[in-house]
Amino acid sequence: MFKPLRYAILSTCLSNIAFASELPAILDYLPKCEPIILSEYHQQLTFINDENDDVTTKLNADDFREQSIKNALLVAQQNGKKSGAEAIIIEQLFTLDFVKKVAGNSDEDKYDNYKINVNIEAKNITLCDNKELTTKRTPFGSNGMRVLLSDTSVVLAVPNSQSLMISADKHKPPSASVSVNGAYGVMLGDPLSILKAQMGPESIRLLDHDGTQILGYGRSLWFYVKSNKVIGIAKNEAILNSHGTNLIAFSENYDIDNWFINDVNYRDTYQSVNQNLDLVQHGDETIVYSDTSQLFLNFESFKVDLYKDAELLLNGFTILPSGDKKKSANINFTATDSIEVSHFFTMNTEDMYQLDDQQRSNQVNLNADGVWVIANENLLFGVNDKGIVNRIRVTESIIKEQSKQDFNLVLARYNIPVLKSDLLKLYPNAEDNFDSVMVTKGTKLLFATFDSDEDNAQLIDIMIEL
């Protein structure tokens, strides 16, 4: 049975500074050899803000929750110290019964009053002579966040999402010149550092199954990087479908098709291109060769005039080393595809999650609403700049065309009702807004979109804001 304790949140926080150096460490990674478990710790801690403290009343709900978790960790460390522990492992940590209310009899006396219960379980341990740690994560890290595990090994720096948007807007793009050997001032074989310097912040990054990084600039310009070198460049290649492409913010730098190849311009006719470039036809592929690389040209049939025949117009390109063949992207979702999120859509959990770098290998960086991590073709995580999940979204496929039956199987996987009527039965207090439904519960918001306003309307998108 948990025993509730009542803490004034700031006094506990200040003691964190005073005694941190004397307390056992909270491990982020498991020890290499089996530790000795001295004792186990189970506790429920209740934190409330003090209406007489000018500082605590200025904390918002998210800050108060974060500070409460820090204080709970501190109490666990102090307990570990009493047990003689060298380190502690956090086995479980979750919050319950979060309440916000306004107190006071007049406007001047009113203040935000928060209360939060933190349940924490930990093991107090001593390490063996070998003090080394593995690369396997503990259930909860030293910041109190659950780190979702993966086997993929990718390390990527993640700058602030707002600063990325600003940097991308301010970046001066290179010339949109294209050749057999490169494009936009980036040549095949150039290191990743030159690509970044030339192009600025990428709009999206993806990880292919063969370990190739795919960096997208705007919605249709892609650079393929392997072993830290550019191995391919493509324009207007459809890696995402239109639904997925709309996740990416429009780029004034790279979404305006003003690219050119010497005297050839985007949307020139096949005849015009053939007169200016040495085209070689291999089956359905039109190629220009150099000694070390090859330029594949894409033509599409367009009817620019109602009374004239359709014409083949230049619509895209792919640049590859000699001998390489074009292939479709096969995005690697192994780092996040197995994450279980069904419990979030019941809105009965207060769990908090943090994604590590491996799990952020498929990520839309430039989006007006913030970063989206692509967990699989139907599941997206919104994250803040620390990788903490603040939104979970299940939507129609962003990669390929998906039948209604296949999407309904996805919804069943996450225990999400398919029909509007079923969702309203599940949440009778929901707000029905014709072709959408909104549900609020505590600090969480569920927003579901349907294909019509009928009772039997099909769900097409659902998002939880945490």
Side-chain angles (χ1 to χ4, degrees), residues 62-110:
D62 290 338
D63 291 339
F64 188 83
R65 180 188 284 109
E66 183 176 347
Q67 193 61 68
S68 297
I69 290 171
K70 287 180 180 178
N71 279 269
L73 294 172
L74 171 65
V75 175
Q77 285 178 290
Q78 291 170 335
N79 174 269
K81 183 180 179 182
K82 291 177 182 178
S83 300
E86 187 176 359
I88 65 174
I89 296 174
I90 305 299
E91 295 287 336
Q92 184 62 268
L93 191 150
F94 58 93
T95 60
L96 292 170
D97 303 324
F98 180 80
V99 177
K100 174 184 176 182
K101 63 181 180 180
V102 177
N105 298 320
S106 65
D107 289 340
E108 292 184 358
D109 293 335
K110 285 184 178 180

Side-chain angles (χ1 to χ4, degrees), residues 86-147:
E86 187 176 359
I88 65 174
I89 296 174
I90 305 299
E91 295 287 336
Q92 184 62 268
L93 191 150
F94 58 93
T95 60
L96 292 170
D97 303 324
F98 180 80
V99 177
K100 174 184 176 182
K101 63 181 180 180
V102 177
N105 298 320
S106 65
D107 289 340
E108 292 184 358
D109 293 335
K110 285 184 178 180
Y111 65 94
D112 288 337
N113 179 230
Y114 306 113
K115 174 184 176 182
I116 186 168
N117 296 332
V118 182
N119 291 316
I120 186 167
E121 299 178 19
K123 289 180 179 177
N124 299 317
I125 65 170
T126 58
L127 302 173
C128 62
D129 292 338
N130 182 0
K131 307 293 183 183
E132 290 184 65
L133 302 178
T134 66
T135 58
K136 186 176 181 181
R137 296 272 193 172
T138 53
F140 286 76
S142 55
N143 59 0
M145 299 300 171
R146 177 177 292 176
V147 179

Side-chain angles (χ1 to χ4, degrees), residues 310-321:
E311 292 184 290
L312 281 177
L313 303 184
L314 181 62
N315 192 50
F317 64 82
T318 301
I319 305 169
L320 295 173

Side-chain angles (χ1 to χ4, degrees), residues 52 106 155 168 192 229 251 268 376 387 403 445 466:
N52 297 317
S106 65
V155 178
L192 179 60
K229 291 187 177 181
S251 170
D268 276 355
N376 61 45
S403 69
L445 170 68
L466 305 175

Side-chain angles (χ1 to χ4, degrees), residues 296-314:
F296 295 81
L297 299 180
N298 303 337
F299 291 88
E300 286 195 36
S301 180
F302 290 92
K303 195 175 179 68
V304 295
D305 191 312
L306 182 64
Y307 302 101
K308 294 182 180 180
D309 292 336
E311 292 184 290
L312 281 177
L313 303 184
L314 181 62

Side-chain angles (χ1 to χ4, degrees), residues 256-270:
I256 298 173
D257 281 308
N258 58 352
W259 53 273
F260 59 94
I261 311 168
N262 295 329
D263 294 327
V264 171
N265 295 295
Y266 167 71
R267 285 294 180 95
D268 276 355
T269 63
Y270 181 90

Side-chain angles (χ1 to χ4, degrees), residues 144-337:
M145 299 300 171
R146 177 177 292 176
V147 179
L148 303 173
L149 305 181
S150 73
D151 296 324
T152 309
S153 181
V154 180
V155 178
L156 298 162
V158 185
N160 177 277
S161 58
Q162 285 302 313
S163 66
L164 271 178
M165 292 286 287
I166 295 170
S167 297
D169 288 340
K170 289 183 176 180
H171 183 77
K172 184 178 180 180
S175 167
S177 174
V178 178
S179 73
V180 185
N181 302 307
Y184 293 79
V186 179
M187 300 293 113
L188 294 184
D190 278 349
L192 179 60
S193 58
I194 288 182
L195 169 61
K196 295 269 192 177
Q198 283 287 103
M199 303 299 293
E202 69 268 20
S203 303
I204 179 174
R205 64 168 183 249
L206 303 169
L207 182 67
D208 197 87
H209 264 286
D210 67 359
T212 301
Q213 288 187 54
I214 307 173
L215 304 185
Y217 291 83
R219 297 175 170 184
S220 60
L221 178 60
W222 304 93
F223 289 81
Y224 297 76
V225 179
K226 194 168 187 179
S227 300
N228 206 43
K229 291 187 177 181
V230 177
I231 63 168
I233 307 171
K235 179 67 174 175
N236 291 336
E237 183 175 346
I239 294 178
L240 306 179
N241 61 19
S242 58
H243 182 41
T245 299
N246 286 333
L247 290 172
I248 306 170
F250 181 85
S251 170
E252 294 288 347
N253 289 342
Y254 304 116
D255 283 323
I256 298 173
D257 281 308
N258 58 352
W259 53 273
F260 59 94
I261 311 168
N262 295 329
D263 294 327
V264 171
N265 295 295
Y266 167 71
R267 285 294 180 95
D268 276 355
T269 63
Y270 181 90
Q271 292 79 5
S272 175
V273 176
N274 195 32
Q275 290 173 1
N276 288 278
L277 299 175
D278 295 326
L279 302 185
V280 178
Q281 202 69 36
H282 276 303
D284 295 334
E285 293 180 336
T286 304
I287 310 172
V288 180
Y289 290 101
S290 74
D291 292 338
T292 58
S293 56
Q294 50 192 338
L295 171 64
F296 295 81
L297 299 180
N298 303 337
F299 291 88
E300 286 195 36
S301 180
F302 290 92
K303 195 175 179 68
V304 295
D305 191 312
L306 182 64
Y307 302 101
K308 294 182 180 180
D309 292 336
E311 292 184 290
L312 281 177
L313 303 184
L314 181 62
N315 192 50
F317 64 82
T318 301
I319 305 169
L320 295 173
S322 294
D324 283 10
K325 294 183 178 180
K326 290 200 296 184
K327 65 173 185 174
S328 300
N330 184 13
I331 302 174
N332 185 350
F333 292 127
T334 58
T336 46
D337 195 29

